Amino acid sequence: MIEQFFSRDTITATRWKNGGGVTREVAKSPSQAPFWRVSIANVDQEGPFSSFVDLDRILTVIEGKGMVLGHKNGDLVADLHIPVHFSGSDAIDGLLPNGPIQDFNLIFDGSKLAADVSVTDTVELDISLSSTLVMTLVYCLTGAFKLLGSKTLLRHDGVMNPGGKLTAVGHTSTALVIQISSKR
């Protein structure tokens, strides 16, 4: 896997059809592989989520005071830095009781892939590699992380498939970590 760096601020934002926000597509699976996509969204207005039939979603609010995912079987609360897993087939209304937010989204084929999304303030991140690993992504939420022998990730910078350990630069560094693996 090739190490790839990115910055939120250099990814083109695409306005939603309903005008309620924008999405920045960070990366997605190759066309012949099981589907996954990671993106960053600014949610400026309340409204319905796009449907992703037969896919799973994990949403993590990365800026703002959280949102409520309105669902017919009960609302899901998406607080800051707390990943929320739900079906892309479900009819969801994004409610913003505390104003606009920014979130990090993972959409994936849960029948073929397993995914883990977490927020950590661990001083040293040692990304474990396995034969089933499809992709690892680390995104700096606060502070900074130094990648062994490479560059420093500042707030809103990320790396896919890091080639080594990441070390927090300060005591207030937090990162979003996504790992996608194939199911056997």
Side-chain angles (χ1 to χ4, degrees):
M1 290 185 265
I2 298 172
E3 188 174 77
Q4 299 173 355
F5 293 92
F6 65 92
S7 174
R8 176 201 67 184
D9 299 333
T10 62
I11 301 171
T12 303
T14 303
R15 179 139 307 274
W16 298 347
K17 291 177 187 173
N18 69 7
V22 298
T23 295
R24 291 173 179 85
E25 185 176 282
V26 175
K28 67 180 177 180
S29 58
S31 60
Q32 301 303 317
F35 181 80
W36 59 266
R37 183 186 88 176
V38 289
S39 62
I40 300 169
N42 290 29
V43 185
D44 301 323
Q45 298 175 17
E46 296 183 338
F49 274 35
S50 297
S51 178
F52 290 94
V53 176
D54 297 329
L55 297 174
D56 285 74
R57 295 182 74 162
I58 301 176
L59 177 146
T60 308
V61 174
I62 59 173
E63 286 186 8
K65 296 183 180 175
M67 73 184 305
V68 175
L69 308 178
H71 187 274
K72 66 180 178 184
N73 294 331
D75 295 345
L76 301 170
V77 178
D79 287 326
L80 183 67
H81 297 175
I82 307 295
V84 177
H85 191 154
F86 58 99
S87 172
S89 299
D90 291 345
I92 299 284
D93 285 315
L95 308 174
L96 301 169
N98 299 304
I101 60 103
Q102 187 171 86
D103 61 45
F104 210 100
N105 293 284
L106 168 62
I107 301 169
F108 64 102
D109 183 345
S111 69
K112 296 177 183 164
L113 300 169
D116 181 62
V117 177
S118 62
V119 173
T120 183
D121 60 359
T122 303
V123 174
E124 189 169 89
L125 298 172
D126 190 3
I127 305 301
S128 61
L129 300 176
S130 73
S131 61
T132 61
L133 189 64
V134 172
M135 188 274 296
T136 297
L137 181 143
V138 177
Y139 183 76
C140 184
L141 297 169
T142 61
F145 287 85
K146 177 77 175 159
L147 184 59
L148 183 66
S150 192
K151 65 188 276 180
T152 299
L153 299 181
L154 301 174
R155 187 170 183 247
H156 301 304
D157 290 341
V159 60
M160 288 181 49
N161 306 315
K165 294 181 181 179
L166 289 108
T167 305
V169 174
H171 297 297
T172 60
S173 298
T174 56
L176 176 75
V177 180
I178 298 175
Q179 289 196 300
I180 302 172
S181 301
S182 60
K183 289 182 176 178
R184 292 200 177 203

